[in-house]
Amino acid sequence: MSAIRIAPSILSADFARLGEEVRAIEAAGADLVHFDVMDNHHVPNLTVGPLVCEAIRPHVKIGIDVHLMVEPVDALVPLFAKAGANLISFHPEASRHVDRTLQLIRDHGCKAGLVFNPATPLAWLDHVMDKLDLVLLMSVNPGYGGQAFIPSTLGKLRAARERIDAHMAATGREIWLEVDGGVKLDNVAEIVRAGADTLVAGSAVFGAPDNDGGYRTVMRQLRQAAGPSPAMPRL
Ligand code: DX5
Ligand code: ZN
């Protein structure tokens, strides 16, 4: 149990040593590996696919949180599920049939998430709360690591928190609220106060290695900076 979940994004890891890097973040107490998939079509960058997910799977026990920034979405869902993903999230603009894609992810045994770009309205949540395990708010425009946190995300986090709490009160079912982009030691407290329970951090973690190449110091600092919040299960 821990106060918040931290999901280091491998986008800022050393890809030539990826197995070692994910082992290091697990050893430092990471709750999830955040796995950014970009296709140079839905977003202007190109990263990694199911083969790399499968390659890192044996290196860690923690969940792999696959963030799909691809279009179309559906064909990749079974491939990532087979490659060992635990959570799969996608952008609603990238799928013709959002409800169907959410169901497809669950049918393949993964938790399903919907991702909101800074300009994407939360109205996409209106009719799919029962099919969601995760709401992921982008606090940068997707495509690159190392961008600055967009402050209006804080108000959006509060609005998403209200919707999620209302759903939990009505159904008893938990939905995670994750934030992705520009999460740093100096803004993590206000992000958690605004309602996030799961934090993606790429450059903040992989840009601050300990002398031995591990990430214990920065992970501890992130948790301390996040401040008190109710304990919650990992996955
Ligand atoms: C951006 C990605 C993020 C990114 C976060 O498109 O979805 O996960 O890696 O990186 P930082 O924490 O450096 O903003
Ligand atoms: Zn991401």
Side-chain angles (χ1 to χ4, degrees):
M1 300 289 268
S2 82
I4 47 154
R5 285 175 289 261
I6 302 180
S9 162
I10 58 162
L11 195 59
S12 295
D14 179 350
F15 274 88
R17 299 186 299 110
L18 203 49
E20 212 177 301
E21 291 276 70
V22 294
R23 289 200 304 273
I25 57 164
E26 183 176 60
D31 300 280
L32 298 159
V33 175
H34 186 77
F35 193 98
D36 285 309
V37 184
M38 305 183 186
D39 66 349
N40 188 37
H41 170 71
H42 185 68
V43 290
N45 203 348
L46 186 63
T47 60
V48 287
L51 285 176
V52 176
C53 184
E54 192 180 352
I56 63 167
R57 180 68 281 178
H59 290 266
V60 288
K61 292 195 178 62
I62 53 176
I64 300 180
D65 169 28
V66 172
H67 173 191
L68 293 178
M69 289 162 273
V70 303
E71 190 177 340
V73 179
D74 290 5
L76 285 176
V77 167
L79 298 181
F80 272 104
K82 193 158 173 267
N86 301 86
L87 279 144
I88 299 178
S89 56
F90 65 98
H91 292 247
E93 301 90 340
S95 171
R96 289 267 170 87
H97 308 283
V98 170
D99 179 280
R100 177 183 286 155
T101 303
L102 289 169
Q103 190 60 53
L104 181 70
I105 294 170
R106 283 201 174 158
D107 287 348
H108 283 82
C110 296
K111 290 182 183 284
L114 209 51
V115 192
F116 293 79
N117 278 339
T120 303
L122 291 179
W124 280 103
L125 290 173
D126 283 352
H127 307 288
V128 294
M129 288 298 272
D130 58 324
K131 296 214 164 63
L132 280 178
D133 302 294
L134 170 78
V135 173
L136 171 48
L137 298 195
M138 293 305 299
S139 36
V140 298
N141 285 291
Y144 305 96
Q147 302 181 79
F149 184 86
I150 297 173
S152 59
T153 311
L154 293 172
K156 203 171 174 185
L157 274 171
R158 285 188 282 270
R161 180 84 263 160
E162 269 185 37
R163 283 175 178 249
I164 288 172
D165 285 351
H167 183 77
M168 265 172 81
T171 65
R173 204 174 58 78
E174 193 189 6
I175 297 176
W176 293 1
L177 180 53
E178 186 174 40
V179 64
D180 184 4
V183 175
K184 305 280 175 201
L185 282 175
D186 64 4
N187 60 14
V188 69
E190 56 184 347
I191 291 169
V192 171
R193 272 202 306 273
D197 54 40
T198 306
L199 308 172
V200 176
S203 49
V205 171
F206 288 103
D210 292 326
N211 288 336
D212 64 0
Y215 299 101
R216 287 191 163 85
T217 306
V218 66
M219 291 291 289
R220 188 172 58 239
Q221 288 170 337
L222 278 168
R223 283 197 201 282
Q224 272 164 5
S229 73
M232 56 189 70
R234 266 184 155 174
L235 190 68

